[in-house]
């Protein structure tokens, strides 16, 4: 039985990962979730597991050396699955230093504490591993050429403060491996979608706005391309890498599912119209008339596309949820969790929305 220290487990992918692990391993796994509970951390995401004997929550900042050292002292940790990060590109454009602190210094602190706990006189204890969860954004932006992809060997070329901070954290993790022989893997994944995603990100924001009859703010021409992966497929990939990934290796995770943003928004409108009951009053206002092209994101990367060849050939991973099925499940989940949405969109979210969208010009 392994003990996992999951950081950022109250966020979107972290909470999906914890659910995935309990579904897969049941009582044969112990999970310690370390989360600071920033605006993005939500314990409601984990209400179903909080009573389990093999689940423990520790509220702590990953930058806090004493608190993290204490976790390694209290538990014999086999795996660190490091999700905790500031994750939203738009926020990083407004407040870059918050991203440098958590994503760079926080990751360094996590590794330092793991290294201290796992180090023996002449190496590291057997079976330990640090899995750093990262993003395809570290590779920069691809041209519209459909044959161009991000490989593990693609040079890093991040453009936003978010992706630059994630790139820095990746390089630190690699440096710990090369310098100390620190046991680790890095995963670089494309855009995730699914349940429990904070509605600052494209898909939950559009679903929520559409259900409320609000405008759907598409940045620029809406033709930027992202490579969308259902979150459970990402979680399965991380578990596989953590079990079978070769020490020191990076694995790209993505499902060959490239879509322009405008296509995603139109699909959301279409599925909502198909799936809302005939007599639901919200149906009347959900149409493409809600779409509004607004001022573009600064430094907006044009296209991301992952080549998942390595994780497929070495570990047999491939996505199991196709987009149409995944988006329908996702929309269904948000329609059935209106209370969850209401809790996180009251209060500070309203200020966030005004601050982020209030000044954006509507384009012709
Ligand atoms: P999220 O913003 O939904 O969740 C982040 C979590 O980290 C929250 O629970 C938050 O409270 C916690 N956290 C933030 N700062 C912390 C700190 N200083 N100390 C402790 N906890 C802190 O993020 P997400 O979308 O779930 O992303 C998780 C990870 O996956 C990130 O590292 C992100 O870079 C990476 N990633 C995300 C995507 C995506 O599409 N969302 C794709 C690839 C990689
Ligand atoms: O590629 C992986 C990355 O995907 C992760 O590392 C990040 O943590 C995650 O946030 C995501 O980054 P993006 O910037 O691609 O995701 P976001 O949902 O913010 O935006 C997706 C696209 O939609 C992007 O081209 C910007 C556009 N967009 C976004 C919002 C929020 C809009 O047009 N309108 C919007 O209101």
């Amino acid at each position: 039985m392994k003990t996992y220290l999951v950081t950022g487990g109250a966020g979107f992918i972290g909470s999906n990962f914890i659910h995935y692990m309990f579904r897969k391993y049941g009582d044969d796994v112990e999970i310690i979730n370390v989360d600071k509970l920033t605006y993005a951390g939500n314990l409601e995401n984990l209400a179903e597991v909080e009573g389990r004997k093999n689940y423990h929550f520790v509220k702590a900042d990953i930058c806090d050396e004493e608190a993290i050292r204490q976790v390694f002292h209290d538990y014999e940790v086999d795996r660190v699955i490091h999700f905790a990060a500031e994750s939203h590109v738009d926020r990083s454009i407004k407040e870059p230093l918050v991203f440098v602190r958590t994503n760079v210094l926080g990751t360094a602190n996590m590794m330092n504490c793991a290294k201290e706990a796992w180090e023996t006189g002449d190496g590291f204890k057997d079976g330990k591993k640090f899995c750093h969860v990262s993003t395809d954004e570290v590779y920069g932006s691809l041209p519209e050429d459909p044959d161009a992809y991000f490989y593990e060997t693609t040079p890093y070329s991040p453009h936003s403060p978010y992706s630059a901070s994630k790139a820095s954290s990746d390089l630190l993790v690699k440096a710990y491996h090369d310098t100390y022989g620190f046991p680790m893997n890095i995963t670089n994944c494309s855009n995730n979608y699914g349940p429990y995603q904070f509605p600052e990100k494209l898909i939950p924001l559009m679903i929520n706005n559409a259900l409320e009859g609000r405008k759907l703010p598409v940045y620029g021409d809406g033709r930027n391309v992202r490579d969308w992966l259902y979150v459970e497929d990402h979680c399965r990939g991380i578990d596989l890498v953590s079990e079978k990934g070769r020490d020191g290796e990076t694995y790209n995770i993505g499902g060959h599912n490239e879509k322009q943003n405008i296509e995603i928004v139109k699909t959301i409108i279409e599925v909502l119209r198909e799936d809302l009951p005939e007599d639901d009053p919200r149906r009347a206002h959900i149409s493409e008339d809600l779409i509004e092209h607004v001022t573009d994101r600064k430094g907006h990367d044009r296209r991301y596309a992952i080549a998942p060849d390595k994780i497929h050939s070495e570990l047999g991973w491939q996505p199991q949820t196709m987009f149409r099925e995944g988006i329908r499940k996702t929309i269904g989940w948000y329609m059935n969790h209106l209370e969850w949405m209401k809790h996180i969109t009251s209060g500070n979210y309203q200020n966030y929305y005004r601050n982020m969208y209030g000044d954006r010009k509507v384009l012709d």
Side-chain angles (χ1 to χ4, degrees), residues 89 93 135-144 150 157-164 219 221 223-226 261 296-304:
V89 174
I93 295 167
T135 169
D136 58 357
E137 298 199 13
V138 298
Y139 299 120
S141 183
L142 288 167
E144 277 166 9
F150 294 140
S157 178
H159 298 129
S160 72
Y162 162 68
S163 52
Y219 298 163
D221 66 5
R223 300 211 173 161
N224 300 65
V225 172
R226 298 293 183 265
N261 295 335
D296 209 350
R297 174 184 278 175
K298 288 188 174 79
H300 197 174
D301 286 338
R302 194 62 175 166
R303 173 171 170 256
Y304 303 145

Side-chain angles (χ1 to χ4, degrees), residues 48 68 71 135 141 210 287 300 321 361:
E48 283 164 42
I68 300 302
V71 175
T135 169
S141 183
S287 78
H300 197 174
T321 301
K361 279 207 195 78

Side-chain angles (χ1 to χ4, degrees), residues 7 27 47 93 100 108 150 169 183 191 199 203 215 236 258 269 287 290 305 333 339:
T7 69
D27 292 338
I93 295 167
V100 174
F150 294 140
S169 65
N191 286 62
I203 289 182
K215 290 288 182 189
R236 198 163 33 80
E258 293 172 48
I269 293 167
S287 78
L290 291 180
W333 189 89
E339 278 301 305

Side-chain angles (χ1 to χ4, degrees), residues 86-90 134-137 162 166 189-192 197 200-203 205-206 217-220 222 224-226 228 261 294 297 300-301 304 352 357:
E86 289 291 338
S87 69
H88 191 36
V89 174
D90 291 326
S134 193
T135 169
D136 58 357
E137 298 199 13
Y162 162 68
K166 290 296 289 186
C189 189
S190 61
N191 286 62
N192 285 213
Q197 188 168 30
E200 62 188 352
K201 308 283 165 59
L202 181 75
I203 289 182
L205 184 143
M206 295 297 169
V218 173
Y219 298 163
N224 300 65
V225 172
R226 298 293 183 265
W228 294 95
N261 295 335
V294 297
R297 174 184 278 175
H300 197 174
D301 286 338
Y304 303 145
Y352 166 80
Y357 294 91

Side-chain angles (χ1 to χ4, degrees), residues 141-260:
S141 183
L142 288 167
E144 277 166 9
D145 168 7
D147 293 330
Y149 290 105
F150 294 140
Y151 291 89
E152 286 80 359
T153 49
T154 303
Y156 277 23
S157 178
H159 298 129
S160 72
Y162 162 68
S163 52
S165 69
K166 290 296 289 186
S168 310
S169 65
D170 292 11
L171 295 179
L172 271 169
V173 177
K174 286 180 215 262
Y176 266 58
H177 178 263
D178 296 349
T179 307
Y180 309 110
F182 186 67
M184 66 76 166
N185 285 120
I186 298 174
T187 53
N188 292 92
C189 189
S190 61
N191 286 62
N192 285 213
Y193 68 100
Y196 303 116
Q197 188 168 30
F198 193 84
E200 62 188 352
K201 308 283 165 59
L202 181 75
I203 289 182
L205 184 143
M206 295 297 169
I207 297 172
N208 185 43
N209 279 17
L211 285 171
E212 294 199 332
R214 304 210 319 193
K215 290 288 182 189
L216 307 177
V218 173
Y219 298 163
D221 66 5
R223 300 211 173 161
N224 300 65
V225 172
R226 298 293 183 265
D227 182 358
W228 294 95
L229 183 70
Y230 192 62
V231 63
E232 192 175 293
D233 281 324
H234 185 191
C235 294
R236 198 163 33 80
I238 294 168
D239 180 36
L240 208 53
V241 168
S242 119
E243 282 307 294
K244 299 195 174 136
R246 284 184 295 128
D247 181 31
E249 293 292 316
T250 287
Y251 294 87
N252 281 356
I253 309 184
H256 277 307
N257 181 45
E258 293 172 48
K259 305 247 179 269
Q260 292 185 340

